[in-house]
Amino acid sequence: MASVIIVGTQWGDEGKGKIVDYLAGKCEYVVRSQGGSNAGHTVVVNNIKYKLRLLPSGILYNDKVCIIGNGVVIEPKVFLGEIDALAEKKVNISNLKISNRAHVLMPYHRVLDELQEEDLGENKLGTTKNGIGPCYMDKSSRLGIRIVDLMNKEVFAKKLKFNLELKNKLLKKLYNHDGFNYDELLKEYLEYADRLKPYVADTTTILNKAIKDKKNILFEGAQATMLDLDHGTYPFVTSSYPAAGGACTGSGVGPRKIDNVIGVVKAYSTRVGEGPFPSELNDDIGQAIRDKGGEYGTVTGRPRRCGWLDACVVKYASYVNGLDSIAVTRLDILDDLDKLKICVAYKYNGEILEGYPADLEILSKAEPVYEEFEGWKTSTREIREFDKLPENAKKYLKRLSEVIETEISIVSVGAGRDETIVIKNIF
């Protein structure tokens, strides 16, 4: 029996969906613990590509209990559209559970997200404009509407009326927006409630019972460490806690019940939106990585910023999450490069920095200190054992492990389940 947390160690888009899907085969439960429909996971099974937003990646197995935890914010329309799309593809969704403590994302959250981002002008954060931030703001302000509230018509009607009065006043006076109609929203969301009801459960009790029964459980986060509200490159972060601790608060499982934390590391670096990115490549190499890796947002389609692998970021993530090991993904995307680099330190004002700077002024001016590696110039897609990787690929990976002081347990060389090299068994 083991409870394992999977976290992203960079700015998201590391390929967590592939790693979760692979490891889910050895589990009975897969849990999504935070974030919302702004998170996109792409999983390939039997050459079919699935783009998941709210649903845990383990949903593509027929026999797993998949849980959306209390830390997630749920937009019913998106959720129902996602399960309908999977049902059309004959994916079993009968084992899906939604926490009754999760919060409901409303249309006014989306509009506020768009208007607030526009209002920021050159100080914009680069949000996906899916309403995630405003929904978490309501949650923190104790104004949020939970799934359990949506299940009770009288409670929901009362809370919606109160919230809409506040939001419409804000929309009209500050943004000259018409606001929302109470009766229309009430009718729409009560219809959603009827469809959601079969999936709603006390997931905290379900999970803790599963741990007591010695089941294997995989906790899947959205986004990644550098987008964590406390530990990321604030304010260019998400509105929740993607670091390992967030999996506990977002699922109702205590930290002493977690056995293993695995960090997912893309073999190069990417980020979406604004914010400092010391190892960014604004050149032909960066574009080549973007094109070969298909580095465009799953949800938004936005081109991702690409750069060399930044080991300073990953080492910091190892500290924050208490990583036991890492899973390196997308090694195959680097197969054609003549030379590669790893950023092993930052230099600022002629001195090497210790730790990862919280000051974004320093981070934006920090000079990456690189170590250069010869490329391996051959395909890794068919390789299934670490020792059979090209020598230069092994040197690249071993140096990463040394710099971040964390061992490698998995190397992914493609999107498919079988395109995986297991160095150390997790379950």
Side-chain angles (χ1 to χ4, degrees):
M1 180 276 290
S3 296
V4 176
I5 297 174
I6 303 292
V7 295
T9 60
Q10 295 149 299
W11 286 278
D13 311 308
E14 297 95 346
K16 296 185 297 298
K18 150 69 189 278
I19 300 301
V20 171
D21 175 73
Y22 177 79
L23 292 175
K26 306 175 188 303
C27 299
E28 288 86 16
Y29 292 77
V30 181
V31 187
R32 166 79 182 275
S33 54
Q34 47 74 223
S37 58
N38 58 335
H41 289 167
T42 300
V43 181
V44 179
V45 180
N46 297 326
N47 294 318
I48 300 174
K49 185 179 287 187
Y50 298 87
K51 293 188 176 183
L52 306 175
R53 296 177 64 177
L54 278 166
L55 299 182
S57 300
I59 197 72
L60 299 178
Y61 290 88
N62 287 325
D63 59 343
K64 312 302 175 188
V65 178
C66 288
I67 288 177
I68 298 178
N70 55 274
V72 179
V73 293
I74 298 172
E75 184 173 9
K77 186 176 181 179
V78 172
F79 171 81
L80 293 169
E82 200 169 339
I83 64 172
D84 287 344
L86 289 180
E88 287 179 8
K89 293 180 180 179
K90 310 300 182 186
V91 175
N92 176 34
I93 54 173
S94 62
N95 289 332
L96 181 61
K97 308 291 182 187
I98 304 172
S99 171
N100 52 13
R101 292 179 170 86
H103 278 244
V104 181
L105 193 147
M106 304 295 293
Y108 48 75
H109 292 133
R110 271 185 176 270
V111 171
L112 283 168
D113 201 357
E114 293 171 4
L115 294 171
Q116 288 167 357
E117 184 76 346
E118 289 171 15
D119 221 23
L120 289 172
E122 63 179 21
N123 296 310
K124 66 179 181 179
L125 300 173
T127 80
T128 58
K129 300 179 182 178
N130 281 287
I132 310 302
C135 188
Y136 276 114
M137 286 170 66
D138 277 1
K139 178 178 180 177
S140 297
S141 300
R142 283 87 75 193
L143 297 173
I145 297 173
R146 298 182 299 165
I147 291 291
V148 69
D149 303 323
L150 183 59
M151 294 299 106
N152 185 317
K153 181 178 178 180
E154 288 73 26
V155 171
F156 176 67
K158 183 179 179 181
K159 289 199 170 190
L160 177 63
K161 194 172 192 64
F162 176 75
N163 272 272
L164 212 51
E165 287 174 0
L166 292 177
K167 295 300 186 291
N168 280 345
K169 187 185 298 183
L170 175 64
L171 287 166
K172 290 173 182 177
K173 290 191 175 182
L174 187 59
Y175 296 109
N176 198 30
H177 186 280
D178 291 338
F180 290 87
N181 181 276
Y182 168 76
D183 292 322
E184 289 177 3
L185 271 190
L186 180 64
K187 181 177 183 295
E188 178 185 356
Y189 272 71
L190 288 178
E191 289 174 358
Y192 292 150
D194 288 339
R195 289 199 61 196
L196 289 171
K197 193 171 184 177
Y199 304 103
V200 177
D202 177 359
T203 56
T204 296
T205 298
I206 291 172
L207 283 172
N208 280 278
K209 185 177 185 302
I211 291 171
K212 187 177 180 180
D213 291 341
K214 302 190 182 305
K215 304 295 184 183
N216 285 338
I217 304 173
L218 197 61
F219 296 84
E220 168 190 23
Q223 290 92 31
T225 305
M226 301 313 294
L227 295 177
D228 187 273
L229 189 56
D230 276 343
H231 300 289
T233 47
Y234 187 91
F236 303 104
V237 293
T238 191
S239 304
S240 59
Y241 301 96
C248 295
T249 56
S251 64
V253 171
R256 293 183 65 184
K257 295 180 180 178
I258 302 299
D259 302 294
N260 211 329
V261 182
I262 312 299
V264 183
V265 182
K266 189 182 284 185
Y268 49 94
S269 298
T270 64
R271 79 171 297 176
V272 172
E274 309 299 321
F277 186 4
S279 67
E280 185 171 11
L281 290 168
N282 294 305
D283 58 14
D284 291 343
I285 296 176
Q287 187 60 49
I289 291 172
R290 182 180 298 112
D291 290 341
K292 184 171 182 182
E295 294 295 350
Y296 298 88
T298 303
V299 175
T300 64
R302 288 186 295 181
R304 296 174 185 140
R305 301 157 65 189
C306 297
W308 294 123
L309 178 55
D310 190 335
C312 299
V313 165
V314 182
K315 185 174 183 178
Y316 172 70
S318 185
Y319 288 160
V320 168
N321 294 293
L323 298 183
D324 293 287
S325 69
I326 61 170
V328 179
T329 63
R330 315 220 80 190
L331 186 71
D332 54 299
I333 303 303
L334 305 179
D335 286 349
D336 301 330
L337 296 182
D338 294 318
K339 293 186 182 295
L340 302 94
K341 295 180 181 180
I342 294 178
C343 173
V344 298
Y346 297 145
K347 186 181 288 186
Y348 179 72
N349 285 343
E351 296 184 0
I352 297 296
L353 295 176
E354 177 146 357
Y356 193 86
D359 189 331
L360 297 197
E361 286 296 311
I362 293 176
L363 188 60
S364 64
K365 295 173 183 175
E367 177 188 346
V369 178
Y370 288 117
E371 290 184 9
E372 188 170 272
F373 300 80
E374 294 294 327
W376 42 94
K377 302 291 288 182
T378 186
S379 175
T380 56
R381 293 289 295 270
E382 304 302 320
I383 297 173
R384 301 294 179 264
E385 296 176 31
F386 183 82
D387 289 342
K388 292 183 179 179
L389 283 169
E391 283 303 314
N392 287 342
K394 287 190 284 188
K395 288 179 182 177
Y396 183 78
L397 293 170
K398 287 178 180 177
R399 184 57 182 147
L400 168 65
S401 179
E402 289 172 359
V403 174
I404 67 172
E405 302 170 2
T406 308
E407 65 179 349
I408 300 173
S409 54
I410 294 172
V411 177
S412 173
V413 291
R417 285 177 182 166
D418 63 320
E419 294 174 314
T420 307
I421 298 169
V422 178
I423 301 169
K424 178 183 178 181
N425 288 319
I426 306 302
F427 291 99

